Amino acid sequence: MIRLASRNDIPAIMEVVQASVKVMNSQGNFQWDHTYPLEENFQGDLNRQELFVYEEEGRVLGVAAISEKEHSEYHEIAWTSDRSAITMKRLAVHPNGRGKGIADAFFRKAEEVSIEKGLHYMKTDTFSKNTYAQKLFDRHGYHFVEKRFVPEKEDSLVYFEKQL
């Protein structure tokens, strides 16, 4: 079940993130590390009531920010629309929860939030080495917009959007 996160969820969220970072790094994807995402990132999402968790049998197995707040570089991206959008950020599923459709559930929830807010436009991004996320975006009907090199990560960010 997906629900709004509470302050009490932060330790479990960080456990999900740390377990996810280990898996990502073992696959050669260094998008996340000890510098991002941090507890303060999730705390900001929580304060804006934009942080959601997937809970099963009392255990948090996934987390995502479903937000109107865009990343700082989004104004530089060649989106096909300049309308306000919902952005999916910081999606993580604990390795013990993978294969259960949790990430798909977060994407459906993000679309629900977008429609409830009357926005009907979705944006997201990931690093080029995160092929799992890119397949997820494709499966949910997102379209590639742009690719930008990030020197400090020695990788490129890829940006996607979807009109609802």
Side-chain angles (χ1 to χ4, degrees):
M1 165 187 89
I2 294 178
R3 62 170 174 77
L4 272 172
S6 73
R7 293 195 192 291
N8 295 336
D9 294 317
I10 294 293
I13 288 168
M14 296 314 297
E15 179 184 319
V16 168
V17 169
Q18 290 164 1
S20 295
V21 167
K22 286 180 185 175
V23 171
M24 291 168 72
N25 291 175
S26 74
Q27 296 169 336
N29 176 6
F30 298 96
Q31 176 177 352
W32 288 4
D33 56 25
H34 67 283
T35 64
Y36 181 86
L38 300 173
E39 185 174 323
E40 64 194 49
N41 301 118
F42 293 107
Q43 191 63 53
D45 299 328
L46 182 70
N47 293 344
R48 289 186 300 278
Q49 294 191 324
E50 296 177 333
L51 187 62
F52 294 82
V53 293
Y54 183 97
E55 184 179 57
E56 186 176 277
E57 297 178 6
R59 184 164 184 227
V60 172
L61 292 176
V63 61
I66 300 172
S67 177
E68 290 181 66
K69 184 178 182 207
E70 299 181 343
H71 291 297
S72 61
E73 79 279 5
Y74 270 30
H75 71 281
E76 301 171 1
I77 306 303
W79 306 105
T80 60
S81 174
D82 60 358
R83 296 180 312 168
S84 295
I86 288 293
T87 302
M88 173 80 78
K89 301 184 275 192
R90 293 183 276 284
L91 171 63
V93 176
H94 194 283
N96 295 339
R98 293 195 178 170
K100 295 182 175 188
I102 295 172
D104 292 314
F106 276 116
F107 272 81
R108 288 189 298 274
K109 181 65 175 179
E111 289 186 16
E112 288 174 23
V113 170
S114 183
I115 290 167
E116 286 170 10
K117 293 181 177 269
L119 298 177
H120 304 276
Y121 185 38
M122 307 286 304
K123 296 176 181 177
T124 194
D125 64 79
T126 194
F127 276 83
S128 66
K129 291 184 180 95
N130 194 341
T131 56
Y132 174 79
Q134 292 174 57
K135 288 176 187 174
L136 184 65
F137 301 163
D138 185 56
R139 188 165 65 240
H140 286 273
Y142 283 72
H143 302 283
F144 173 80
V145 174
E146 187 175 321
K147 182 176 185 176
R148 291 185 152 209
F149 186 69
V150 180
E152 58 272 14
K153 289 289 188 175
E154 297 181 4
D155 197 357
S156 295
L157 272 168
V158 285
Y159 299 86
F160 294 82
E161 66 183 359
K162 179 178 181 177
Q163 306 283 341
L164 299 179

